[in-house]
Amino acid sequence: MPRPTGRVLTLLELLQSGGTRTVAELADRLAVDGRTVRRYVDQLIDLDVPVESVRGRYGGYRLAPGYRLPPLMLSDDEALAVMLGLVAGRRAGVITAGHTASETASAKIRRVLPKHIARRLDTLLESLAFTDQAGEFATPDAGVLLTIADAVHHRRPVSIRYTDRDGRRSERTLHAYGIVAHSGRWYVTGTDPEIGEDRTFRLDRITDARTLPGSFEAPVGPDPAQRVLSGFATAEYRHEVTLRIHGTVEQIRAHLPASVASLEEHAPTADKDRATERWLRVQLRAERLDWLPPLLASLDRPFVIERPDELRNLVIALAQRLASHARQA
């Protein structure tokens, strides 16, 4: 059970989050009664923290406007959570700051950790293993990220300088309506007003961004994450593949996620239950086809290859090899 001093600090953190907090709400969050909440408030006031009492039906307590918050305070559990978040985020590529910034942030927190917590953290990190390989991801510029995030929030056009995968540089205007983190990389998705089409850009390839005058309305339809995944599935690649697979949406998505393939009903029915097996048309694009025959075999569902013929030949060749191996004594 937290000590009274710990509860007083928790009360301060709740008030720092903004707004007016009722006595009943604070009592519930602190697991104490209303009289104890008032006593904790008095202790904060004794420490020159300007807590105001708000009267009325929706009254309670709040910090005085303009109060300068004290230095950041973390409990032991919070410090441990931040440290583990930095380790996992750096490995997964979801931390936008450079490696040096992440390391210095970790070092600052470690310096102020109590010795017993620091020892437990070291023991945990030494014992911790990851099943995936550590990713080396290019991180977006923090200034670019914050500028685009502000443009997304206020629905303002943004001008970006972009370098594509072939090294071609361009400057374009984007009506950005979402930032998406996917598989260790950061993307911004929006509408290119010059061509009137949705576009998705990798944030680490944007070298400069500045907001422009004006505003725009975000389009209705799928959210930014779904738009990014759909963009991956329909990107320009060498082969266009169309299949019909009999199964449930979940069975197919387990092998062909939304970032790889799009699904639609081959013959629309009144039954929209995702758990119902039916024929679904699967469309995807790929630079190579050699990975698809083993995937279709592992799916273990009836399927029809509509195109291309090259994929059909690869599937037949794989089936013949498997049959040949199975006949061997």
Side-chain angles (χ1 to χ4, degrees):
M1 179 177 295
R3 296 178 180 179
T5 302
R7 289 201 184 98
V8 172
L9 293 176
T10 301
L11 171 62
L12 177 58
E13 291 169 359
L14 292 171
L15 296 176
Q16 285 176 358
S17 64
T20 300
R21 303 277 185 166
T22 66
V23 174
E25 177 187 1
L26 293 172
D28 180 65
R29 296 291 296 274
L30 298 172
V32 297
D33 56 28
R35 181 179 299 178
T36 305
V37 169
R38 296 183 181 91
R39 187 170 70 249
Y40 290 164
V41 169
D42 290 338
Q43 293 181 35
L44 289 178
I45 294 174
D46 290 340
L47 294 171
D48 294 327
V49 177
V51 181
E52 295 182 342
S53 176
V54 181
R55 298 181 180 275
R57 180 180 178 184
Y58 301 103
Y61 294 104
R62 69 185 180 192
L63 289 180
Y67 172 62
R68 187 178 181 87
L69 299 180
L72 177 67
M73 293 177 293
L74 297 175
S75 68
D76 293 348
D77 288 344
E78 289 170 338
L80 183 60
V82 171
M83 289 294 294
L84 292 177
L86 286 171
V87 171
R90 186 167 61 242
R91 185 181 183 91
V94 297
I95 291 182
T96 60
H99 182 73
T100 300
S102 178
E103 289 293 330
T104 55
S106 299
K108 288 178 181 178
I109 295 176
R110 291 177 70 91
R111 281 199 297 270
V112 298
L113 284 177
K115 289 184 178 180
H116 70 285
I117 294 295
R119 286 195 298 268
R120 293 176 64 187
L121 176 63
D122 289 338
T123 299
L124 173 59
L125 295 179
E126 290 172 0
S127 306
L128 185 63
F130 292 87
T131 57
D132 58 338
Q133 296 297 318
E136 291 294 335
F137 301 106
T139 56
D141 178 81
V144 167
L145 176 63
L146 293 176
T147 298
I148 293 179
D150 184 73
V152 169
H153 180 73
H154 294 288
R155 297 288 186 255
R156 296 184 60 188
V158 61
S159 174
I160 62 173
R161 292 179 182 174
Y162 190 73
T163 304
D164 66 15
R165 61 182 178 183
D166 297 321
R168 293 189 297 265
R169 298 179 181 179
S170 62
E171 185 167 346
R172 59 191 76 198
T173 299
L174 184 68
H175 290 174
Y177 45 75
I179 296 173
V180 178
H182 173 70
S183 296
R185 300 200 184 278
W186 291 74
Y187 300 87
V188 56
T189 184
T191 300
D192 185 331
E194 293 186 4
I195 59 177
E197 296 180 357
D198 282 356
R199 300 297 304 274
T200 295
F201 300 97
R202 269 178 47 180
L203 276 168
D204 60 281
R205 291 177 175 168
I206 298 177
T207 57
D208 183 62
R210 57 187 177 87
T211 53
L212 301 174
S215 62
F216 65 92
E217 292 293 329
V220 297
D223 61 30
Q226 287 300 320
R227 291 177 184 272
V228 169
L229 293 177
S230 298
F232 291 151
T234 58
E236 293 294 334
Y237 290 107
R238 180 181 176 186
H239 300 283
E240 294 187 3
V241 178
T242 303
L243 309 166
R244 296 199 309 272
I245 302 177
H246 192 269
T248 67
V249 173
E250 284 73 16
Q251 287 171 336
I252 298 173
R253 281 295 183 220
H255 297 265
L256 293 167
S259 59
V260 174
S262 61
L263 298 184
E264 63 180 21
E265 294 203 31
H266 173 58
T269 63
D271 187 357
K272 300 298 182 181
D273 186 359
R274 292 169 62 91
T276 301
E277 292 188 1
R278 56 188 179 275
W279 284 102
L280 295 167
R281 175 171 275 108
V282 179
Q283 294 182 310
L284 60 99
R285 302 186 183 193
E287 281 296 311
R288 299 181 1 256
L289 297 174
D290 55 351
W291 59 278
L292 273 170
L295 183 144
L296 292 171
S298 65
L299 185 59
D300 194 26
R301 302 301 307 166
F303 65 87
V304 175
I305 299 173
E306 293 188 1
R307 64 172 178 171
D309 291 337
E310 182 181 348
L311 176 59
R312 184 178 293 105
N313 296 333
L314 289 173
V315 171
I316 293 172
L318 174 63
Q320 292 173 341
R321 289 197 303 274
L322 293 175
S324 174
H325 296 327
R327 285 193 291 266
Q328 293 180 3

